[in-house]
Amino acid sequence: MEGYYKVGEVQKARELFKKLQQVYHERLVYYAGMEVATQYAKIDDVLSDSYAYRRCLEICGENNDKDFYEKATETFERDISMLEHLVAE
């Protein structure tokens, strides 16, 4: 994503973000469907996916893609709220 932004390919950066966002969304939904004890057992995976998702979002913000960033942030917050007991903001 960073590379696409740097060469002015904003649309390609957004498309890549959307693909990654879908992957992380699906993973978070998967974790959220587990029993809480299992979620805690998988805490490293949950946190890793959460932080990677957040980093993708930050790249959008750092590259001044403001409107896209704001909308994506809303989706991120909704996704992460499924596991708020595990993921500290």
Side-chain angles (χ1 to χ4, degrees):
M1 287 175 37
E2 184 76 31
Y4 283 131
Y5 277 117
K6 295 299 180 203
V7 297
E9 293 283 353
V10 174
Q11 191 58 36
K12 286 185 179 181
R14 288 176 176 179
E15 289 170 8
L16 180 54
F17 175 85
K18 288 177 185 177
K19 288 178 184 176
L20 292 169
Q21 181 182 44
Q22 183 62 33
V23 168
Y24 292 124
H25 168 78
E26 290 172 4
R27 288 180 181 177
L28 295 176
V29 167
Y30 171 73
Y31 298 133
M34 296 176 171
E35 291 188 20
V36 174
T38 306
Q39 290 174 352
Y40 279 103
K42 296 268 188 193
I43 190 75
D44 290 339
D45 294 333
V46 173
L47 294 177
S48 178
D49 287 341
S50 298
Y51 294 150
Y53 188 177
R54 180 188 302 272
R55 181 62 192 133
C56 289
L57 184 62
E58 289 171 351
I59 290 170
C60 296
E62 291 167 358
N63 285 280
N64 301 314
D65 198 354
K66 186 177 179 182
D67 292 336
F68 186 79
Y69 171 79
E70 289 175 1
K71 183 173 176 149
T73 297
E74 291 174 14
T75 303
F76 171 80
E77 290 173 355
R78 185 178 60 245
D79 286 347
I80 213 72
S81 71
M82 294 183 288
L83 296 160
E84 64 187 349
H85 58 285
L86 298 174
V87 182
E89 290 292 323

